[in-house]
Amino acid sequence: MESVASASWWAAGVLYQIYPRSFQDSNDDGIGDLRGIIDRLGYLSDLGVDAIWLSPIFPSPMADFGYDVADYVGIDPIFGTMDDFDALVLTAHARGLKVILDLVPNHSSDQHPWFIESRSSRDNPKRDWYIWRDPAPDGGPPTNWLSEFGGSGWEYDEATGQYYYHAFLKQQPDLNWRNPEVRAAIYEAMRFWLRKGVDGFRVDVIWHLIKDDQFRDNPPNPDFRPGMPPHAALIPIYSADRPETLDVVAELRSVIEEFDHRLLIGEIYLPIERLVAYYGAELKGAQLPFNFALLSTQWHAREIAALIDRYEQALPSGAWPNWVLGNHDRPRVASRVGPAQARVAAMLLLTLRGTPTMYYGDELGMEQVEIAPEDVQDPFEKNVPGIGVGRDGCRTPMQWDASANAGFSDARPWLPLAPDATQDCAANLRADAQSILNLYRALLRLRRELPQLSLGNYQPLAAEGDLLLYRRHHQGQSVLVALNLGPDPISVASDAIGLDGEVLLSTMLDRASERVGATLDLRGNEGIIVGRAPEEVV
Ligand code: GLC
């Protein structure tokens, strides 16, 4: 069995996603930047995470806020300079924090010099770097493939009389990953950052990289209903998750392997059974294909227990699990499950087997912010308004203190702050002994102290009514996690679960060292961890 010392840093560690535009502004333009992140690294060390992942910071026209890259080896002036970036890596590493970048290889910006060349003529050497096709016989798009952000996935180019494919905005043309020159160019960009000491990449929409070589139409989705995002009208079997994608993932991994101790994470929205294929044959794919199952599950004990079991069973032998509770594309967890359950969700995330990824501000209980129509920034909401797909509400500025704009910026922030931002801010919550922030800090500390929590195996015990109960066991030591997913108290007979020990942590932060008697009593919306205190553990 692996010990904490010998486990990979990313297996035992906790990842923290920063959305750079919204973390900390240092130059008063209302948009967060790298110097701002450097200034807040102390907060992240105090919180107790191990690595930060930054959403894209590369030069970009910002049509999709950085997910439209115009230069894979630069820094957008909005975020600072390459010197700022080097300083960030240096300072983070000095604090023991790893740095993970967002790699966006599926598509570039239409302003990237590669695309400008590619669209300049049919015989340009870079023509085949993107996906160009002749019109269908009726002059329309070559296939029925849809853009995730609404409308056709094909854009007609008058000058050269062909269509190019874009799985997202038309300003985000898809690169042609069947072309070896494209692969080589992106691999070189990866090496550029890896040489700078970057600890890994989160790869954007990795399951989209390869498209059907015969360009077949996607079949209709029989479950499509009005009110769903328009792209859900088709099942994208020919435009994503093609078998050849896994060869590319293995190549991305081999670039990572040219350097020591680096991490490849894949962004993948697929059912669990397909998701786990991205670990690759003989685990030579992504070390962590992001597991987003908790983002869409019903918040019921039995549902969650079933999905944990399904995931654990689907994992290839030796594959390391991971869990995600929030990101910059999905509604805030505190709004999905409510503020009381947000604490239980925190305990779940940080006690499941596998690497947890936290999303900035979730440790403050930040909620989805209502965005007035005139404040909308997200191109998805602009293209497909009014059905709730907008992502601005989970990207609002981090809430630091009680000063103007909650300490995020001295200028008007690019997105509005939450109405209660100066109240529910890091400074106030840090000073409140029972706040959700201090719960996250306590969970992260306990996880660091107890290898059962980071590396132990997962033993499901019960999922009845609102109770979710499991054990984590490592080298002769166990902890028990009991989560009450509902508002009513629950009592569990201790001997029925072979319970022994004391309360190491309650989500309400008020039961430390309480001995567990004949029953384990949970209040409504309470989670507790029971075990032997770290100092008792040899
Ligand atoms: C990923 C990103 C999302 C972006 C999209 C297109 O899903 O997380 O923010 O809009 O890819 O790059």
Side-chain angles (χ1 to χ4, degrees), residues 21-33 35-37 39-40 364 396-413 417-418 420-428:
R21 294 180 71 87
S22 295
F23 202 59
Q24 177 67 62
D25 178 16
S26 75
N27 64 347
D28 301 341
D29 61 359
I31 298 174
D33 48 48
R35 285 276 153 203
I37 296 173
D39 292 344
R40 295 298 186 179
L364 309 179
T396 58
M398 180 69 174
Q399 302 165 187
W400 292 108
D401 57 41
S403 68
N405 296 324
F408 166 70
S409 174
D410 286 339
R412 183 166 188 261
L417 286 130
D420 50 8
T422 51
Q423 186 66 36
D424 295 341
C425 59
N428 287 352

Side-chain angles (χ1 to χ4, degrees), residues 64 67 104 107 149 168 172 202 204-205 267 269 328-329 391 395:
D64 190 20
Y67 285 95
V104 192
H107 43 267
F149 290 154
F168 295 89
Q172 294 169 296
R202 169 266 191 193
D204 192 62
V205 297
E267 184 208 18
Y269 286 95
H328 64 294
D329 295 324
R391 301 169 297 174
R395 298 175 174 178

Side-chain angles (χ1 to χ4, degrees), residues 173 185 259 394:
F259 300 78
C394 67

Side-chain angles (χ1 to χ4, degrees), residues 446 450 452 471-472 477-481 499-505 513-516 520 528-534 536-537:
L446 198 61
L450 295 178
Q452 302 94 294
R471 200 191 302 279
R472 301 288 312 283
Q477 301 292 337
S478 292
V479 288
L480 182 111
V481 181
L499 194 60
D500 167 36
E502 61 188 77
V503 175
L504 299 179
L505 190 63
S513 310
E514 188 183 303
R515 256 334 299 156
V516 175
L520 171 63
I528 66 172
I529 303 174
V530 177
R532 290 170 63 195
E536 292 176 54
V537 177

Side-chain angles (χ1 to χ4, degrees), residues 467 469 480 482-484 488-494 497 499 503 505-508 510-511 514-530:
L467 178 69
L469 201 64
L480 182 111
L483 305 175
N484 183 351
D488 303 321
I490 300 178
S491 256
V492 192
S494 301
I497 46 172
L499 194 60
V503 175
L505 190 63
S506 156
T507 50
M508 298 181 183
D510 59 357
R511 292 174 72 167
E514 188 183 303
R515 256 334 299 156
V516 175
T519 57
L520 171 63
D521 297 316
L522 293 169
R523 289 165 284 179
N525 300 312
E526 182 178 29
I528 66 172
I529 303 174
V530 177

